[in-house]
Amino acid sequence: MSDSFRARLRALPDFPENLPDFDPAAAPQDPAELFRQWLSDALAAGVRQPHAFSLATADGGGHVSSRMLILKDIDDDGGWQFATSRTSRKGGELAENPNAAMNFYWPELGRQIRVAGAVVELSRQASAADWDARPASGGSANPQWQLYALKPREIEFWQARADRHHIRHRMVF
């Protein structure tokens, strides 16, 4: 059974031939600017929810988990913002181990962006404003809601190529 499943996986289609080109030497030095350009490209290509990313966290014992979230903003200090309840699993893991990694993936363009670094809690006021801006908040307060900013130690922009000579543009801070 395993061999047929493996064959089935190997037979799945790979990246399309008409992927965008990417020259890291010509890319903006500011990763936030490059991300905004790639996000605009994703929107133009019809990518659904291009602001969604997988967030990987680990508890104090190093046990890793991941889930999908929505990017809220990239602030002037270079923090990549997201939010969750302090009482959620990810909130607890971030309290124990304030390091995380984000991964954006846009298969239509053969692109992914990986952002890894330390996570800090933003102010109660910023968290309350973020909660209030949610369509489902209904004007009620949620004191457990927390806005976070991931401060990158590294960011990698990855562009697939049909010939499988993928392009990686890694920035370390």
Side-chain angles (χ1 to χ4, degrees):
M1 190 62 114
S2 177
D3 288 340
S4 67
F5 183 68
R6 179 181 175 86
R8 183 176 177 195
L9 291 174
R10 289 225 178 246
L12 291 173
D14 208 352
F15 294 105
E17 293 288 326
N18 59 342
L19 294 171
D21 197 20
F22 176 55
D23 178 6
Q29 295 299 308
D30 178 2
E33 182 181 343
L34 181 54
F35 178 83
R36 287 181 183 102
Q37 285 179 6
W38 278 28
L39 181 71
S40 292
D41 293 346
L43 288 165
V47 174
R48 294 187 57 155
Q49 293 189 312
H51 59 324
F53 64 92
S54 173
L55 179 74
T57 57
D59 63 18
H63 301 99
V64 179
S65 65
S66 67
R67 76 288 289 154
M68 298 301 294
L69 294 175
I70 298 295
L71 182 68
K72 301 288 187 157
D73 198 1
I74 301 175
D75 63 37
D76 292 337
D77 295 327
W80 297 55
Q81 296 181 7
F82 62 94
T84 190
S85 173
R86 275 187 223 88
T87 60
S88 70
R89 178 177 177 177
K90 61 188 158 301
E93 289 172 350
L94 289 168
E96 290 179 34
N97 180 353
N99 293 283
M102 301 174 155
N103 193 62
F104 297 85
Y105 179 53
W106 305 321
E108 297 89 342
L109 298 172
R111 287 181 170 172
Q112 58 182 311
I113 302 165
R114 190 175 49 81
V115 185
V119 176
V120 297
E121 290 186 0
L122 299 181
S123 71
R124 292 256 183 220
Q125 295 83 359
S127 298
D130 183 72
W131 176 260
D132 289 342
R134 290 171 55 99
S137 74
S140 63
N142 182 349
Q144 297 305 319
W145 193 249
Q146 181 62 54
L147 188 61
Y148 296 91
L150 188 151
K151 304 290 186 168
R153 277 189 301 272
E154 69 171 301
I155 299 176
E156 183 179 77
F157 292 83
W158 185 89
Q159 175 64 63
R161 293 178 35 139
D163 65 5
R164 311 237 359 120
H165 292 107
H166 309 308
I167 300 166
R168 288 174 172 79
H169 180 47
R170 185 170 175 242
M171 302 172 173
V172 179
F173 308 97

